């Protein structure tokens, strides 16, 4: 190949790899930003709020949190919600995704006592949003289980499924006239794997290979109970939609050998099928049922560590999704693992894949998060092919940095590339009706404390005002929303 041809090839292939989709987003496409109660509200023991599992673990001595910090004050949004709404207004978003603190509404976790001040806080927030023409998108549960319910086993005890439905009823009754989009759970895989399996999330219960499966079983039942409750008692008058948010990753086969391709598909089923399949087709993926049953037997258990749904439960779960929320941050390469690890009783050993990220993929300050925009298009297409043409809302997408500068070019690039990949998926025919950036502002990043910054706004955690400052990415997203164009200007095709 001569020099000139070589040059043309390189230019062509790099421009393909990074080519930006410049077709416009549809007129009714929803653009928003996202937060979660424990990560922003603070006021952890104010106005009658009860204790939840994050209050509990962050107050432990020694602390399990990287910087020993807590969400006691966080962004102080309990007091500063009007400022938050003004920021949303500046961005020009159509919707705002936030979550409700169960313990603020029901301090004991049970419905014996409803905290009117907690209800008032969310009513005021919703009112302020509506007054500014911003649609509230409400996550009913984002990881903060009331401590009294955790004391009884939390999500591993089936008792919680009816208690969750009681809570959802209070929520629909009080806020449902002004909310059209509900999400029952945020990332149940993190609640279950992190909370009861791999010790990455509160309540930090050490029960790998068992706790995750019990937890997920109950989360799915609780979700279905809330959906049916809404469907029977609230849908006709309130006219909203009830979905769930799953965390997603794309798992790209390392080679095209059938072993690696199978490992990728098995991984997808363990990560996504575990939740999406029961709620669309009615039961866990066959591969999960088979693998976990076989391994359980080899390990000496008299029954599978994966609980079974009865026929009635399968019917009850099936079709309980009005739409699907997806959080996408990154992608992994996967290889088959030759080692069966029979002695290892854990979800990870059951899934048995080797995952890694390529050095050439740009890093963030979060260890698992490298920038891989094309994975978003791939996971969206996989979901459509595997579970049918369900309406999808991207409920989270974003990247962390060290927070040292408001000139956050990395975040601007990240959003531009991911929105472009999202538009590619929409052009492929995937039914996506909205995009929600994580996060409106820097906030409490769970066991990483205040060390990772995902915000469009910087928050000064050293000032008692928790001063918010827009970053370059906020201005970029504002322009994207205004022009419905990833370039942030008017040059996109019609
Ligand atoms: C989200 O979690 C949360 O909803 C949000 O509260 C949080 O602040 C935000 O992201 C930023 O972290 O689990 O092995 O497949 C994201 C949790 C953990 C999901 C890592 C994807 C990929 C590695 N993510 N996971 S794996």
């Amino acid at each position: 190949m001569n020099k000139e041809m070589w040059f043309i090839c390189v230019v062509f292939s790099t421009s393909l790899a990074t080519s930006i989709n410049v077709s416009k987003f549809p007129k009714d496409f929803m653009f928003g930003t996202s937060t979660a109660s424990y990560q922003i509200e603070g006021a952890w023991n104010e106005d009658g709020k009860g204790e939840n599992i994050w209050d509990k673990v962050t107050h432990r001595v020694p602390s399990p949190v990287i910087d020993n910090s807590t969400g006691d004050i966080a962004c102080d949004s309990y007091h500063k919600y009007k400022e938050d709404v003004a920021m949303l207004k500046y961005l020009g978003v159509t919707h705002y995704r936030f979550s409700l603190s169960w313990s603020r509404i029901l301090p004991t976790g049970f419905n014996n006592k409803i905290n009117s001040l907690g209800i008032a806080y969310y009513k005021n927030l919703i009112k302020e949003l509506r007054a500014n023409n911003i649609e509230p998108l409400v996550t009913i549960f984002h990881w903060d289980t009331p401590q009294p319910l955790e004391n009884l086993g939390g999500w591993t005890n089936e008792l919680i499924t009816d208690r969750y439905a009681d809570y959802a009823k209070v929520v629909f009754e009080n806020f449902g006239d002004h909310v059209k989009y509900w999400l029952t759970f945020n990332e149940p895989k993190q609640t279950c794997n992190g909370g009861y399996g791999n010790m990455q999330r509160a309540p930090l219960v050490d029960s790998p290979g068992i706790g995750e499966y019990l937890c997920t079983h109950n989360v799915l039942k609780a979700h279905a109970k809330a959906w049916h409750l809404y469907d029977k008692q609230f849908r006709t008058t309130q006219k909203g939609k009830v979905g769930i948010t799953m965390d997603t990753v794309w798992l790209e086969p390392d080679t095209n050998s059938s072993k690696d391709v199978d490992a990728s598909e098995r991984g997808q089923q363990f990560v996504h099928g575990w939740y999406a399949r029961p709620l669309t087709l009615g039961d866990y993926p066959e591969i999960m049922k088979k693998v976990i049953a076989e391994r359980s037997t080899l390990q000496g258990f008299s029954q599978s560590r994966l609980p079974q749904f009865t026929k009635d439960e399968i019917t009850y779960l099936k079709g309980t999704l009005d739409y699907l929320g997806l959080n996408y941050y990154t992608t992994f390469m996967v290889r088959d693992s030759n080692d069966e690890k029979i002695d290892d009783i854990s979800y990870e050993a059951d899934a048995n894949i080797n995952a890694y990220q390529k050095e050439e993929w740009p890093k963030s300050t979060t260890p698992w998060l490298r920038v891989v925009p094309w994975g978003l298009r791939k996971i969206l297409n996989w979901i459509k092919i595997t579970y049918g043409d369900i309406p999808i809302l991207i409920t989270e997408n974003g990247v962390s940095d060290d927070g040292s500068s408001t000139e956050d070019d990395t975040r601007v690039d990240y959003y531009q590339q991911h929105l472009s990949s999202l538009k590619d998926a929409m052009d492929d025919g995937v039914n996506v009706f909205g995009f929600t950036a994580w996060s409106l502002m820097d906030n409490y990043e769970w066991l990483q404390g205040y060390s990772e910054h995902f915000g469009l706004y910087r928050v000064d955690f050293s000032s008692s005002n928790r001063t918010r400052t827009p970053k370059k990415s906020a201005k970029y997203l504002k322009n994207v929303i205004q022009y419905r164009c990833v370039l942030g200007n008017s040059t996109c095709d019609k």
Side-chain angles (χ1 to χ4, degrees):
M1 199 187 294
N2 68 33
K3 245 187 170 171
E4 207 175 67
M5 266 181 71
W6 180 85
F7 178 76
I8 290 169
C9 280
V10 169
V11 170
F12 186 60
S13 64
T14 50
S15 75
L16 256 192
T18 58
S19 84
I20 292 293
N21 186 328
V22 292
S23 60
K24 270 198 188 234
F25 283 88
K27 281 218 166 59
D28 56 355
F29 193 77
M30 291 169 62
F31 281 105
T33 70
S34 190
T35 59
S37 51
Y38 187 76
Q39 295 180 271
I40 65 160
E41 283 176 7
W44 78 279
N45 61 356
E46 235 177 281
D47 287 351
K49 179 180 160 294
E51 188 186 39
N52 67 40
I53 58 174
W54 281 94
D55 298 320
K56 188 79 173 179
V57 307
T58 59
H59 291 157
R60 274 196 204 172
V61 182
S63 169
V65 183
I66 268 187
D67 54 5
N68 296 326
S69 64
T70 71
D72 289 0
I73 303 176
C75 305
D76 201 20
S77 286
Y78 188 70
H79 299 110
K80 299 176 76 75
Y81 71 91
K82 286 195 177 169
E83 250 182 73
D84 296 349
V85 177
M87 285 143 61
L88 292 159
K89 181 84 183 160
Y90 167 83
L91 291 170
V93 297
T94 57
H95 70 281
Y96 175 48
R97 175 176 179 249
F98 62 94
S99 84
L100 306 174
S101 159
W102 186 338
S103 309
R104 200 179 288 292
I105 294 171
L106 303 177
T108 67
F110 294 81
N111 62 357
N112 61 316
K113 186 170 176 281
I114 299 176
N115 180 20
S116 58
L117 292 174
I119 300 274
Y121 169 65
Y122 294 114
K123 279 198 170 162
N124 289 337
L125 171 59
I126 292 168
K127 204 169 144 198
E128 187 74 8
L129 288 167
R130 286 256 170 245
N132 286 283
N133 227 345
I134 299 166
E135 182 83 43
L137 166 60
V138 181
T139 310
I140 299 172
F141 179 84
H142 195 126
W143 304 357
D144 45 358
T145 315
Q147 188 58 38
L149 289 170
E150 197 56 58
N151 294 343
L152 299 168
W155 291 100
T156 65
N157 182 349
E158 193 173 355
L159 161 117
I160 202 168
T161 63
D162 283 325
R163 302 297 72 82
Y164 178 85
D166 292 342
Y167 164 49
K169 185 156 187 265
V170 171
V171 163
F172 295 145
E173 277 169 356
N174 279 282
F175 313 121
D177 287 342
H178 304 284
V179 175
K180 296 285 166 263
Y181 293 91
W182 297 101
L183 291 158
T184 53
F185 289 88
N186 174 68
E187 298 192 353
K189 178 169 168 280
Q190 299 299 315
T191 297
C192 294
N193 287 19
Y196 302 96
N198 60 34
M199 307 278 281
Q200 295 300 311
R201 310 274 182 222
L204 298 172
V205 169
D206 189 10
S207 173
I210 296 172
E212 306 95 322
Y213 297 126
L214 289 174
C215 170
T216 291
H217 209 63
N218 290 324
V219 165
L220 290 167
K221 285 184 185 178
H223 163 85
K225 283 182 180 175
W227 187 90
H228 282 289
L229 170 73
Y230 191 81
D231 203 48
K232 282 211 182 65
Q233 295 186 26
F234 298 96
R235 191 187 294 279
T236 40
T237 49
Q238 300 187 349
K239 301 187 173 62
K241 293 181 175 25
V242 180
I244 194 169
T245 280
M246 310 197 303
D247 48 310
T248 69
V249 284
W250 174 249
L251 301 173
E252 177 76 6
D254 196 32
T255 69
N256 52 23
S257 76
S258 61
K259 284 200 132 197
D260 288 352
V261 172
D262 287 354
S264 156
E265 180 63 20
R266 185 170 68 248
Q268 301 286 9
Q269 295 296 345
F270 267 79
V271 174
H272 309 114
W274 192 13
Y275 297 94
R277 196 177 190 289
L279 302 181
T280 52
L281 305 172
D283 196 3
Y284 293 124
E286 287 306 318
I287 185 79
M288 283 189 83
K289 294 202 282 189
K290 180 169 170 286
V291 166
I292 301 166
E294 283 171 7
R295 289 175 55 83
S296 300
T297 304
L298 288 171
Q299 290 162 341
F301 292 94
S302 60
Q303 59 177 46
S304 177
R305 288 177 281 103
L306 182 72
Q308 274 180 15
F309 289 119
T310 64
K311 273 209 166 116
D312 286 351
E313 286 168 346
I314 287 176
T315 315
Y316 189 73
L317 291 178
K318 190 174 169 175
T320 56
L321 277 184
D322 300 328
Y323 69 103
L324 182 59
L326 300 179
N327 294 348
Y328 175 82
Y329 289 90
T330 197
T331 281
F332 290 84
M333 302 298 296
V334 300
R335 270 178 311 215
D336 188 46
S337 162
N338 293 321
D339 179 3
E340 300 263 297
K341 302 186 198 108
I342 288 301
D343 293 335
D344 184 346
I345 299 168
S346 69
Y347 164 93
E348 287 77 12
D350 290 339
N352 199 27
I353 55 170
N354 274 328
Y356 76 98
Q357 294 187 302
K358 293 201 167 179
E359 278 303 315
E360 73 219 45
W361 296 342
K363 283 186 185 171
S364 66
T365 51
T366 302
W368 51 264
L369 204 176
R370 283 182 185 256
V371 182
V372 197
W374 49 263
L376 176 57
R377 180 183 192 173
K378 289 211 173 189
I379 185 62
L380 286 169
N381 276 284
W382 185 87
I383 297 273
K384 178 181 160 132
I385 291 163
T386 316
Y387 300 110
D389 207 0
I390 184 160
I392 292 173
L393 175 65
I394 304 297
T395 38
E396 287 179 30
N397 175 245
V399 69
S400 61
D401 59 23
D402 65 9
S404 57
S405 168
T406 51
E407 294 296 298
D408 55 341
D409 292 294
T410 323
R411 186 165 293 104
V412 172
D413 289 350
Y414 182 95
Y415 279 125
Q416 181 167 80
Q417 290 167 23
H418 283 78
L419 283 163
S420 167
S421 176
L422 170 65
K423 194 63 181 54
D424 288 341
M426 292 169 69
D427 294 349
D428 296 338
V430 184
N431 180 4
V432 183
F433 65 94
F435 175 89
T436 316
W438 182 273
S439 177
L440 172 61
M441 60 193 144
D442 293 343
N443 57 46
Y444 187 67
E445 182 56 29
W446 311 108
L447 295 184
Q448 277 60 50
Y450 298 101
S451 70
E452 292 177 5
H453 302 75
F454 281 86
L456 297 163
Y457 278 73
R458 173 193 215 164
V459 176
D460 182 356
F461 293 102
S462 66
S463 93
S464 58
N465 281 334
R466 295 297 191 273
T467 314
R468 287 110 156 101
T469 314
K471 303 181 190 175
K472 193 169 179 180
S473 57
K475 293 165 199 163
Y476 167 72
L477 203 69
K478 176 187 171 64
N479 288 335
V480 168
I481 298 171
Q482 183 180 344
Y483 295 106
R484 287 181 288 111
C485 167
V486 299
L487 299 174
N489 57 37
S490 61
T491 60
C492 277
D493 302 338
K494 285 280 167 293

